[in-house]
Amino acid sequence: MLDTASNRPELPPEIARRRTFAIISHPDAGKTTLTEKFLLYGGAIQMAGQVRAKGEARRTRSDFMKMEQDRGISVSASAMSFDFGKYRFNLVDTPGHSDFSEDTYRTLTAVDAAVMVIDGAKGVESQTQKLFEVCRLRDLPILTFCNKMDRESRDTFDIIDEIQENLAIDVTPASWPIGMGRDFLGCYDLLNDRLELMDRADRNVVAETVEINGLDDPKLAEHVPAHMLERFLEEVEMARELLPSLDPQSVLEGHMTPIWFGSAINSFGVQELMQGIADYGPEPQPQQASPRAIAPEETKVAGFVFKVQANMDPKHRDRVAFMRLASGHFKRGMKLTHVRTKKPMAVSNPVLFLASDRELAEEAWAGDIIGIPNHGQLRIGDTLTEGEMIRATGIPSFAPELLQGVRAGDPMKAKHLEKALMQFAEEGAAKVFKPNIGSGFIVGVVGALQFEVLASRIEQEYGLPVRFEASQFTSARWIIGEKDEVEKLVETNKQHIAYDNDGDPVFLTRLQWDIDRVERDYPALKLSATKEMMV
């Protein structure tokens, strides 16, 4: 949030109705299931899939890679646009697995808010905490959904305390659970004084809502057994005394998070959460850029690429660049300036996503996420504008934590391998380094599972079996400094030097001692663990 809402001009209605958010969580907290239910309530799909589909049961719509469908995990961020009431939701589903956290970090630069999903039995887990820190750096508003209340879960106050302590954010309950596990009946909607009852029979049915006039309404006793009612009333009284009440401005500033309780697999609590995003989520926000920030109400179109996905359609070697519109009203066929190359680019086939389904986008507004099919011209961090040379900033690239050499099973296919690796480097799926000395490539990733994903994708998409092998190097750092100083270092440390896919020099290290030595011998240079994605 770059600015408070009060002193900014009102947004055009079409932009103001947009809500662009990401869902973040630890793996297995139920994020993909929640995404499915969002699509179900948005009218985008008729029946929600299961992550672990049995036989021909519907596959989840947001996991489109073969590996995601086989393993029941999300390894690639996907974007979906759908309507909910008068609002237009742009939802970005992020990988929960920590090995793919870089994709998630970049995705968070393209949204205005985050929905944090936590498991009622496990509370705040390590990956949630990491992702939360990224949201904190960007002051993103956060709405929380405590999932799996239909299983044995922890005490409600414990969960709230843990969020407040671990994440240092005020928590205000938007709903309160009645019972838990097998006895879980539903929730009381504290914002609208309504009782929400869960239907266990049909998972795709919207929960039954009972209108209640406050907590002393005798109708409550008709639906809630006496022993549970007594405990529930006690808890709500305590919650109202001990916990802060909802302050919409504090939510927008990222200091407070409202929490809803529910069970995504039973479609319970999801609609209340969606209404919460509509009511309390931010409208499109200004985007950090150089030389000035981009405001959403500007009439000229500007947008930036935060993700590139290759081979979404295996039959056509296409690449789709995911672009977040930062300002203006985009129309299909528009000519935009590609700021990095300073060349005009006609965007003739932009697409809107519903996971792997896509449709042509005739128009889009600030806040929307559109896909631009291209043949490698667009990279992560690129900005497209209606002529002004302005670049979106703050899209990070991280130094890989694991390095391995890679060879094609068939030595005659080395050229094919280079093409495949360069494509994955542009997609941001891995770092690819060409060592100064010797042949072959070194591939760098953040988590070990990425090697498996790469090997399986290279084989499936290029028909090229590859093997990864141990490398003597353990990490890579970008060399930053004056050109002549960089050349001196490169000249005297040839065996440590490689070049990334942008042609920038990288220092490959074996031990921390290597980094210390360079910092001692070349004080004018900096070895950086991050690089901003744009050149």
Side-chain angles (χ1 to χ4, degrees):
M1 306 281 293
L2 300 179
D3 211 337
T4 53
S6 52
N7 54 6
R8 291 209 8 241
E10 256 190 45
L11 290 178
E14 199 50 55
I15 295 176
R17 78 184 190 94
R18 271 145 172 88
R19 297 286 180 271
T20 305
F21 59 96
I23 299 190
I24 60 171
S25 81
H26 195 82
D28 276 350
K31 178 163 51 71
T32 303
T33 309
L34 184 64
T35 305
E36 292 287 297
K37 299 299 173 154
F38 274 19
L39 296 180
L40 181 72
Y41 287 139
I45 56 174
Q46 300 308 306
M47 170 189 155
Q50 287 171 292
V51 179
R52 291 185 180 74
K54 294 184 180 70
E56 286 301 298
R58 285 287 291 277
R59 296 285 186 195
T60 58
R61 302 298 285 256
S62 54
D63 289 345
F64 55 81
M65 278 189 202
K66 185 169 187 324
M67 182 163 184
E68 294 181 306
Q69 293 173 352
D70 292 347
R71 291 195 176 199
I73 56 168
S74 301
V75 297
S76 166
S78 56
M80 285 147 271
S81 301
F82 54 94
D83 287 316
F84 176 72
K86 63 175 189 180
Y87 294 94
R88 176 75 168 172
F89 279 8
N90 294 303
L91 156 63
V92 188
D93 181 23
T94 58
H97 203 290
S98 59
D99 286 5
F100 299 92
S101 48
E102 193 173 343
D103 200 9
T104 306
Y105 288 131
R106 284 200 289 265
T107 300
L108 290 173
T109 59
V111 297
D112 302 311
V115 171
M116 177 167 71
V117 183
I118 57 177
D119 181 326
K122 295 177 183 159
V124 178
E125 296 172 88
S126 56
Q127 185 62 12
T128 318
Q129 200 147 355
K130 273 191 202 161
L131 296 170
F132 180 83
E133 293 305 325
V134 182
C135 297
R136 174 54 53 83
L137 288 173
R138 306 197 62 246
D139 285 334
L140 279 183
I142 290 180
L143 305 155
T144 305
F145 184 69
C146 185
N147 193 16
K148 304 193 181 181
M149 294 306 291
D150 57 324
R151 302 188 186 175
E152 287 312 313
S153 53
R154 290 168 43 189
D155 179 73
T156 312
F157 284 107
D158 283 354
I159 293 169
I160 290 176
D161 282 351
E162 186 174 4
I163 297 171
Q164 289 190 345
E165 276 174 32
N166 288 8
L167 306 179
I169 189 167
D170 288 333
V171 180
T172 178
S175 71
W176 198 266
I178 303 173
M180 68 167 76
R182 285 186 182 160
D183 300 333
F184 181 63
L185 285 183
C187 285
Y188 187 77
D189 181 341
L190 293 168
L191 302 177
N192 303 300
D193 267 331
R194 286 193 309 223
L195 181 64
E196 310 282 346
L197 298 172
M198 184 171 87
D199 181 350
R200 285 179 184 262
D202 186 345
R203 291 184 158 176
N204 286 337
V205 162
V206 180
E208 179 196 347
T209 299
V210 182
E211 289 291 341
I212 301 268
N213 294 322
L215 289 169
D216 40 14
D217 190 323
K219 259 201 286 185
L220 261 176
E222 294 171 25
H223 298 281
V224 183
H227 66 287
M228 287 169 82
L229 182 59
E230 191 181 337
R231 180 166 175 199
F232 156 70
L233 292 172
E234 253 173 49
E235 284 181 352
V236 170
E237 199 176 316
M238 274 171 69
R240 283 189 163 159
E241 276 178 28
L242 299 172
L243 297 168
S245 53
L246 184 68
D247 173 0
Q249 188 53 37
S250 187
V251 172
L252 290 177
E253 288 166 4
H255 305 315
M256 171 182 275
T257 176
I259 182 166
W260 284 264
F261 293 85
S263 160
I265 199 152
N266 287 302
S267 308
F268 183 76
V270 178
Q271 222 174 358
E272 290 70 38
L273 172 65
M274 290 172 85
Q275 195 54 54
I277 295 167
D279 295 342
Y280 304 107
E283 41 195 36
Q285 295 296 308
Q287 175 60 38
Q288 297 172 346
S290 162
R292 62 175 185 80
I294 306 168
E297 63 271 12
E298 289 173 32
T299 51
K300 290 261 197 305
V301 169
F304 63 95
V305 175
F306 66 94
K307 175 182 169 60
V308 174
Q309 183 69 49
N311 299 346
M312 275 176 91
D313 181 349
K315 291 198 256 328
H316 307 280
R317 288 238 175 279
D318 67 338
R319 286 177 206 182
V320 176
F322 286 65
M323 181 169 92
R324 154 79 194 236
L325 280 176
S327 66
H329 179 199
F330 168 86
K331 297 185 186 70
R332 182 155 89 91
M334 252 184 168
K335 269 204 166 53
L336 297 174
T337 302
H338 183 210
V339 173
R340 178 167 54 85
T341 60
K342 303 183 176 53
K343 289 182 182 161
M345 184 174 179
V347 184
S348 46
N349 296 317
V351 291
L352 275 175
F353 298 101
L354 182 62
S356 57
D357 300 343
R358 30 175 144 164
E359 56 184 60
L360 272 179
E362 292 301 332
E363 59 168 6
W365 295 79
D368 284 339
I369 290 168
I370 57 172
I372 302 174
N374 68 99
H375 291 287
Q377 303 96 311
L378 290 176
R379 295 187 189 167
I380 292 171
D382 277 353
T383 308
L384 294 178
T385 70
E386 269 192 84
E388 188 181 349
M389 289 297 159
I390 189 165
R391 295 186 288 108
T393 55
I395 300 165
S397 176
F398 297 97
E401 293 170 19
L402 300 166
L403 297 177
Q404 287 194 353
V406 59
R407 301 220 176 275
D410 176 353
M412 306 300 286
K413 295 259 177 84
K415 265 276 170 266
H416 288 76
L417 176 63
E418 180 171 353
K419 191 176 163 199
L421 290 174
M422 284 307 154
Q423 177 200 295
F424 289 126
E426 280 167 25
E427 198 182 296
K431 303 285 177 296
V432 176
F433 304 118
K434 181 90 180 85
N436 207 347
I437 294 175
S439 63
F441 289 90
I442 289 177
V443 174
V445 296
V446 177
L449 183 59
Q450 279 176 290
F451 285 126
E452 276 183 58
V453 172
L454 278 178
S456 110
R457 283 187 64 187
I458 293 172
E459 185 159 356
Q460 268 167 16
E461 294 168 23
Y462 288 87
L464 192 63
V466 295
R467 67 173 189 276
F468 285 100
E469 43 200 42
S471 157
Q472 58 167 328
F473 299 109
T474 55
S475 72
R477 294 287 183 270
W478 284 280
I479 307 165
I480 295 171
E482 294 298 322
K483 195 171 176 213
D484 52 341
E485 283 286 323
V486 172
E487 281 169 1
K488 249 193 268 178
L489 172 70
V490 168
E491 195 49 45
T492 49
N493 292 276
K494 283 184 176 163
Q495 73 282 15
H496 281 279
I497 301 298
Y499 293 89
D500 69 9
N501 64 306
D502 295 324
D504 292 334
V506 174
F507 187 81
L508 299 175
T509 70
R510 286 184 290 244
L511 307 159
Q512 180 61 35
W513 184 81
D514 290 329
I515 297 176
D516 297 343
R517 178 176 62 84
V518 169
E519 286 174 349
R520 187 185 67 228
D521 297 351
Y522 300 89
L525 293 178
K526 181 169 177 267
L527 293 183
S528 172
T530 58
K531 163 180 155 178
E532 213 164 89
M533 303 284 284
M534 65 211 177
V535 208

